[in-house]
Amino acid sequence: MSKFDSEYTNHYNLWVEDGIVTEDIVLVEVDDWSDHVLKEDYELPKLSEVENFIKENGHLKNIPSEKEVKEVGYKQHDLNKSLLEKVEELVLYTIAQEKRIVQLEKQLNAKTK
């Protein structure tokens, strides 16, 4: 068996040592997802806060560190949910940057006329 002992693996119905090859995996009865990022009341972290968290912790907030993954693994659903959260945040940052670029271009064009 791998580095996970029976105390860890006893919580699951199937253990595959060498991996699985499949065309698809479907999760059913998923109770939570990350669309909260796209709700109007979501407070998108300032990029300076994201930068400080990375400097202090060496990874993104809500994403497990390499050390953690190596020690205890990760749950695929939880990681997918966290990665979606980060993608949605990136989209919101990009939209905000695009609006800022358009505003700055208008200001620049107004000054050059």
Side-chain angles (χ1 to χ4, degrees):
M1 187 173 279
S2 75
K3 62 185 174 186
F4 302 112
D5 62 18
S6 62
E7 186 175 322
Y8 182 85
T9 59
N10 283 343
H11 297 290
Y12 300 95
N13 293 325
L14 175 67
W15 177 263
V16 179
E17 183 70 26
D18 293 325
I20 298 171
V21 176
T22 180
E23 289 186 17
D24 197 8
I25 295 175
V26 176
L27 301 175
V28 295
E29 297 185 26
V30 174
D31 293 328
D32 57 342
W33 203 234
S34 290
D35 286 343
H36 65 278
V37 172
L38 301 178
K39 294 199 166 112
E40 214 170 290
D41 62 344
Y42 181 74
E43 290 193 34
L44 187 65
K46 293 183 181 346
L47 286 173
S48 60
E49 295 169 344
V50 174
E51 180 182 23
N52 288 336
F53 187 91
I54 292 169
K55 284 180 180 177
E56 291 174 15
N57 299 284
H59 62 92
L60 292 169
K61 187 175 182 181
N62 297 333
I63 302 291
S65 68
E66 178 182 14
K67 180 182 178 197
E68 183 181 349
V69 170
K70 285 181 177 179
E71 288 177 359
V72 299
Y74 64 90
K75 291 183 178 181
Q76 187 65 50
H77 171 70
D78 291 344
L79 185 59
N80 284 344
K81 186 173 68 171
S82 296
L83 291 173
L84 175 62
E85 176 184 81
K86 298 306 163 201
V87 168
E88 289 177 345
E89 287 175 348
L90 285 170
V91 168
L92 293 176
Y93 289 126
T94 302
I95 290 168
Q97 288 174 343
E98 175 67 14
K99 288 178 180 179
R100 181 76 174 133
I101 289 168
V102 168
Q103 177 189 31
L104 291 170
E105 286 175 340
K106 285 179 182 177
Q107 289 175 0
L108 182 63
N109 289 336
K111 286 182 179 181
T112 58
K113 288 184 180 182

